[in-house]
Amino acid sequence: MSEQTLDALARRIYAEFNAKPESRYIAAEFALIQLSRLVGRIKPRNVLEIGAGIGTITKLLLEHPNRPAEITASENHPVCLRELDANLKGIGTAGLKLIRNASELDMNMSFDLVIFDGSLNNERQFGIFREGTWCFVEGSRSQTVRELQLALVSRGLNLDYKTERPGGTKIRFLSARRVLGFRLPAFKVKPLKGCSIGQVVSAT
């Protein structure tokens, strides 16, 4: 499957979900493109999505030319669950299992790819990672990556990963500050968020 086709799928999914009322926290277009390419390259059969939200990444996986045979998605926010159900109407959801909490995971399961668009709520669940597991972390979740690294090191494993960014910056407005009696707006320039992609390897 060509990279152009995989990128077009990601852009279409992003445009569709970005127009929805609950789109504030959906995955960025850049991250969706990188994920689409990764799925096309590694062709995972069993995927865990942590933080399904309103279904942006879930729909990408379900409509991908290399659609995984099994997708486990975790989500527990009532609004997200309602929107997720509505947003997946009309497409085949065979092989999709929705869980409300990461503690519901079968720790004996083996996932080819774990996608973080949220956080595991219990350190014990880091045990699902095995040597060879691929990991995709959407956005700026450096704390999640650090926690995963620490958990893996204790098991003689490591996450060999790379952070990808689209380039460019954004200006974030902070609360106004008072200077010499005047209230002046404060801004912070931040790089655009990207994603981190890696694979669990032996630490030895």
Side-chain angles (χ1 to χ4, degrees), residues 18 36 50-51 55-56 69 71 78 97 100 119 124 128 130 136-137 145 151 159-160 162 168 170 172 180 186 188 200:
N18 191 46
S36 187
I50 299 168
T56 314
I71 302 168
K97 178 183 179 183
R100 301 296 182 95
S119 300
R124 189 179 68 87
I128 61 175
R130 316 262 197 285
F136 179 92
V137 182
V145 174
L159 179 64
D160 182 17
K162 181 180 180 182
K170 68 177 180 179
R172 179 184 175 191
L180 298 176
K188 183 177 182 180
V200 178

Side-chain angles (χ1 to χ4, degrees), residues 54-92:
I54 64 173
T56 314
I57 288 177
T58 314
K59 190 167 185 178
L60 174 71
L61 294 172
L62 289 170
E63 295 195 348
H64 201 280
N66 300 110
R67 171 178 170 160
E70 301 290 336
I71 302 168
T72 302
S74 71
E75 184 54 63
N76 61 10
H77 194 285
V79 173
C80 289
L81 288 170
R82 183 192 68 220
E83 297 300 316
L84 177 65
D85 182 63
N87 292 333
L88 298 184
K89 294 286 187 189
I91 64 173

Side-chain angles (χ1 to χ4, degrees), residues 81-111:
L81 288 170
R82 183 192 68 220
E83 297 300 316
L84 177 65
D85 182 63
N87 292 333
L88 298 184
K89 294 286 187 189
I91 64 173
T93 56
L96 173 63
K97 178 183 179 183
L98 182 64
I99 60 176
R100 301 296 182 95
N101 193 293
S103 63
E104 297 176 28
L105 282 173
D106 179 354
M107 298 301 292
N108 294 316
M109 289 187 69
S110 179
F111 294 100

